Structure formats: structure tokens, C-alpha cells
Amino acid sequence: MTRDADDPFGRVTDAELRERFEAADYVADDRTVTTVHLALRLERPLLIEGPPGSGKTELGKVLASAFDTELIRLQCYEGLTAENALYEWNYTKQLLAVQAEEGRVGGANAAVDDADTGGSSPARDDSVFAEEYLLERPLLRALRTEGETPPVLLIDEIDRADEEFEAFLLELLSDFQVSIPELGTVSADRSPVVILTSNRTRGLSDALKRRCLYLNVQPPSFQTEYEIVRRKVPELDAAVAAEVCAVVARLREEAFLKRPGVAETLDWARAVAHLRHDPDGDDDGDSLTPAEIERTIGCLLKEVEDVDRVDTDLLEALRAAAADADPDPVAAERPAE
């Protein structure tokens, strides 16, 4: 299965996708670009796994922005049900209609059996289970969105949802359709781009993985993270940006409960830039100091046990890592976009 030629996602080339990522200041390696490109062209959902803060959600946001289309996001959580994610009925409006005798209680019994097809036709227009009483949730909206460019459906942190909800998604992931008992089957005229993310807090089923292309993301190399910081926090001095990335890389060597991801690196880079540009701050252009690192460590470490491990010896090791930071001269001289 491939997308139509008139679908912007279906005619994009590998080089064009790379240019769109560049224009959005999203630093992606060859493997990421190729995997996303194949998912778009082959009309397959993309499952992205990796530690928190590694840029999984950002990829979905960048795709929607780069193609100027709608981002429909479903944040998963324990106890999420199909009704919460797919549709709900406007019970208040239904009740008022019944009380006013403008509608009748229908549902599955409101459908008229079709002897020729062996199925059933939609509910009658006077049923309170008609379109006008339907409240779309993210999954249904993604299937019924009209327009030249399909939306990007971001199913975020699928590993937080229950296995029952994961099983419910299989029909949508394989056929881009869902079944609503009162209305029948709803299929997408143009299949949305589906991005699923997982922090690997639990294993996902083989059935779900079989329906998706797969991309695993890990904390980037020093040079890649430096490039990300230069793009996203251009106000930060290039040398200090290198020191920030070196300190984060050193922290990731520690056996913390929660190692800092790219999101934490960017938060810290913005915090350092803000403090150094603050009229009351120290903006002398010098290297990061242990005191400066200690004051802002909350941007990087989010567990009290991890914060408590930052002692004098570790602060000195972080300062030494910052002092040894040596970005690629070509990258350091290139202006941030």
C-alpha cells in the first residue's frame, strides 16, 4: 500500500524530507530520515521508542509543522478507554431531544437490517444516535479530517495505556478505520500519518509492532546534541553550548534513576543563556563554574536521589568535562540557523 501521487506525503522524496527537517531546525540522522520517509510513502504507522526526552514527540510535531497540516495528539494514560479516544455521545443533547420528543432511543437496535449485504445500514436520522449527537475524539477526528494534506495523528506514550486499548488500536493501524456500533464502520478517505511513541515502560504486543515501521532513538552524540543546542538556543555562546553538551554527556555516565535527555539539555541551555543575559547575572563569557552548575541542576535532574548524588567530586568532574569540551571547529564557526 502506497499513498496517492497527489498526497503531499506520498510524493515527498528523501531529499525533500531532509530539507523540511532542516527548515524546522530538527536535527535528524540518515536512519531517521529514511525510516520516516518510508513510513510516509508506504502509508505505514511509525512506532518510535526511546528514553523520555529523546525527541520522539517532537518528531510528530515537526512533521505536522513541516507539511503545514493539523497535528492531532492523543496522550495515553492508564485507564484510557476506546470511548475517551474515539468518540462519545452528547448525553445532555440526547436527553433533551428525547424529552422534547424530537428523537428516539436507538443505538444498535435503530439500525435497519440489510438482507442483501448481511450487514446493517446507519441509524435513522431521527435517532439520538445520529451524527448531530456525536462528539469526536482524536482518533475519529483523524479519520474524518478533510483537506488536501492528511493530518498527523500522534499517539503519545502508548506504553502507558492498557493492553486492551492497545488491542483496540489494531484495526485503525492496519486499515485506517474504526467500528462504531451505532453508526457502522468509519474509514479514512485519506489515511492520516500515524506516529506512536513509547518510553518502553512495558513491552508492546507483536500485533501492534507488526503493523508499524520501527525507529529506536537514543541520546545523541556530543556533536549532534551540540548542533541541536546551537539551532534551538542560538542566543547561547557557542563555546558555552559545547560546555553544556559536555556536562550533560558526563552526567549520562552516572547511574541516575533518570538520566537527562535532549529536552533537559535544551531546558538547561535556555536557563544558562537567560541567567547570563540577566542584568543581575554574570555574563563574563567564562566557562561554566561548579556553582553555576549546582544552582541550575534542577533543569537536568528530576529525582531527589539523583540531585543528592551531586557532591563536590562530581561537580569538579562536570567542570573538568566542560573545560575539555571541543566542538568540531567547522560546526562551531557555522552560525546557528
Side-chain angles (χ1 to χ4, degrees):
M1 183 186 301
T2 58
R3 291 184 179 274
D4 297 333
D6 59 343
D7 187 328
F9 290 114
R11 60 174 180 263
V12 68
T13 66
D14 191 281
E16 290 171 349
L17 182 60
R18 192 181 303 276
E19 290 176 0
R20 289 177 186 262
F21 280 153
E22 288 286 332
D25 286 336
Y26 187 83
V27 180
D29 58 21
D30 293 341
R31 180 173 57 91
T32 298
V33 173
T34 299
T35 304
V36 173
H37 179 234
L38 290 174
L40 295 179
R41 293 296 299 271
L42 299 179
E43 206 169 355
R44 295 286 298 278
L46 176 61
L47 170 62
I48 309 175
E49 285 192 333
S54 55
K56 303 183 297 296
T57 301
E58 186 67 15
L59 179 55
K61 294 179 178 180
V62 166
L63 268 179
S65 174
F67 286 86
D68 193 23
T69 191
E70 181 182 8
L71 173 69
I72 300 176
R73 181 173 179 177
L74 174 64
Q75 178 63 53
C76 297
Y77 54 88
E78 185 177 355
L80 177 65
T81 65
E83 290 74 18
N84 298 141
L86 182 59
Y87 74 98
E88 288 184 288
W89 293 108
N90 190 330
Y91 297 117
T92 301
K93 188 174 181 180
Q94 287 176 320
L95 180 60
L96 291 175
V98 170
Q99 291 175 339
E101 297 183 350
E102 295 177 356
R104 62 183 176 80
V105 177
N109 296 328
V112 181
D113 290 337
D114 188 338
D116 295 332
T117 63
S120 61
S121 61
R124 284 170 36 191
D125 291 339
D126 59 345
S127 170
V128 292
F129 290 98
E131 284 279 350
E132 63 179 301
Y133 302 98
L134 189 67
L135 299 176
E136 292 182 346
R137 296 305 182 220
L139 298 184
L140 185 59
R141 191 164 94 248
L143 294 178
R144 305 209 305 180
T145 297
E146 299 179 353
E148 180 181 348
T149 306
V152 173
L153 172 60
L154 175 61
I155 304 177
D156 213 8
E157 298 185 319
I158 180 60
D159 53 321
R160 292 185 178 274
D162 301 326
E163 294 180 1
E164 291 78 6
F165 181 77
E166 183 183 329
F168 159 75
L169 286 177
L170 298 181
E171 181 183 12
L172 182 147
L173 297 178
S174 59
D175 300 319
F176 296 103
Q177 67 178 35
V178 292
S179 299
I180 299 178
E182 300 87 351
L183 296 178
T185 300
V186 178
S187 301
D189 292 332
R190 285 193 171 185
S191 57
V193 174
V194 182
I195 304 291
L196 302 96
T197 72
S198 168
N199 295 328
R200 302 196 68 184
T201 59
R202 69 170 178 87
L204 302 177
S205 70
D206 290 340
L208 184 141
K209 290 182 177 180
R210 189 166 55 247
R211 287 161 170 79
C212 305
L213 298 189
Y214 180 78
L215 179 64
N216 180 266
V217 294
Q218 292 296 324
S221 66
F222 169 84
Q223 192 58 56
T224 299
E225 191 159 35
Y226 171 78
E227 184 68 18
I228 293 172
V229 171
R230 292 292 290 132
R231 286 170 177 261
K232 297 295 186 180
V233 195
E235 65 272 22
L236 187 63
D237 180 77
V240 178
E243 293 179 354
V244 163
C245 296
V247 168
V248 174
R250 176 61 182 83
L251 281 173
R252 289 178 183 144
E253 297 176 5
E254 297 293 317
F256 288 135
L257 296 176
K258 168 66 172 68
R259 294 183 176 91
V262 178
E264 282 78 21
T265 303
L266 292 175
D267 283 345
W268 191 40
R270 294 186 181 103
V272 171
H274 171 75
L275 291 176
R276 292 193 166 214
H277 287 82
D278 191 307
D280 298 327
D282 297 327
D283 187 17
D284 53 12
D286 291 339
S287 298
L288 290 170
T289 65
E292 190 174 11
I293 297 171
E294 186 177 21
R295 290 201 315 269
T296 56
I297 201 67
C299 297
L300 295 171
L301 303 179
K302 308 297 177 65
E303 299 286 347
V304 64
E305 295 86 351
D306 295 340
V307 174
D308 289 343
R309 289 188 55 188
V310 182
D311 55 17
T312 303
D313 291 340
L314 181 54
L315 285 172
E316 181 57 30
L318 297 178
R319 187 207 62 77
D324 292 340
D326 183 22
D328 182 350
V330 175
E333 293 173 4
R334 182 170 61 249
E337 298 179 11

